[in-house]
Amino acid sequence: MTAAPLVIAIDGPAASGKGTLARRLADYYHLPHLDTGLTYRAVAHMLLTKGWPLGDAPHATEAARLVDLGGLDRNVLSAHAVGEAASKIAVIPEVRRILVDKQRAFAAQASGAVLDGRDIGTVVCPDATVKLYVTASAEVRARRRLAEIEARDGTGDFATILADIARRDERDMGRADSPLRPAADAHLLDTSEMDIETAFIAARSIIDGIVAAESES
């Protein structure tokens, strides 16, 4: 009998560790992985590269149609300027619709997939096999973000990073279209006191338990 596709939806605020966890889980379960935040960054990067105005919906919509989910370069798209631009185009409804359709197509692969973002369990994959909501305190997330910057030989200010995270949380949770919130059936994973290995083990336990229960039903 062919195994049912395993779709793992991982949501959570910025710097909660969901991306690192998603990549670990995708590798462990041999599933394709998509960081959906990169899809919005890819649209923004295309607009910046072409010199198209960020607030222009027709240009942003055209860029969204052209984005190839198989060609997302994390190193290029992680630039701060790209992230700032992405926050401006992510509020355009037609851009969100196009990218959500592409994200759903990615999740529909025969084997399943791991997707992480802000609205995976609530909007993109409401029927996902497993839904995780990964979070941590704002202070812990700010310390993690600062450590990431310093690991790349950069410099940052903790207070500035903390304020930026607070603003981003408010924007993500308060937006009218697909706000950041846990799905009703999501499993909460607070990583404030966890390292990545502990979070990985906890997530695996949840996933394996759900898969086992489904195989018995």
Side-chain angles (χ1 to χ4, degrees), residues 5-8 23 25-33 111-114:
L6 173 58
V7 178
I8 303 172
R23 290 189 292 274
L25 291 171
D27 182 63
Y28 180 79
Y29 290 105
H30 306 292
L31 294 172
H33 165 248
S111 61
V114 179

Side-chain angles (χ1 to χ4, degrees), residues 16-152:
S16 60
K18 67 181 183 297
T20 304
L21 179 61
R23 290 189 292 274
R24 287 284 302 271
L25 291 171
D27 182 63
Y28 180 79
Y29 290 105
H30 306 292
L31 294 172
H33 165 248
L34 178 64
D35 175 349
T36 60
L38 291 182
T39 66
Y40 292 93
R41 284 173 173 261
V43 174
H45 182 258
M46 186 178 295
L47 289 170
L48 292 171
T49 301
K50 292 181 177 291
W52 291 348
L54 294 175
D56 185 70
H59 279 105
T61 300
E62 176 65 14
R65 290 196 181 99
L66 293 171
V67 162
D68 176 14
L69 268 57
L72 304 178
D73 187 331
R74 177 176 297 278
N75 292 326
V76 171
L77 300 178
S78 292
H80 181 72
V82 177
E84 288 298 304
S87 69
K88 294 180 174 65
I89 62 93
V91 299
I92 300 173
E94 185 65 8
V95 170
R96 298 195 68 85
R97 187 191 66 75
I98 292 168
L99 293 182
V100 165
D101 283 348
K102 291 188 175 189
Q103 292 159 13
R104 285 175 176 159
F106 185 93
Q109 297 181 66
S111 61
V114 179
L115 291 85
D116 70 270
R118 302 287 193 280
D119 59 353
I120 310 305
T122 53
V123 175
V124 180
C125 300
D127 297 322
T129 316
V130 183
K131 300 176 188 176
L132 300 175
Y133 188 85
V134 182
T135 189
S137 71
E139 290 76 15
V140 166
R141 289 186 282 134
R143 284 198 294 272
R144 288 174 180 168
R145 182 57 53 81
L146 179 58
E148 289 175 2
I149 294 170
E150 292 175 342
R152 297 194 295 266

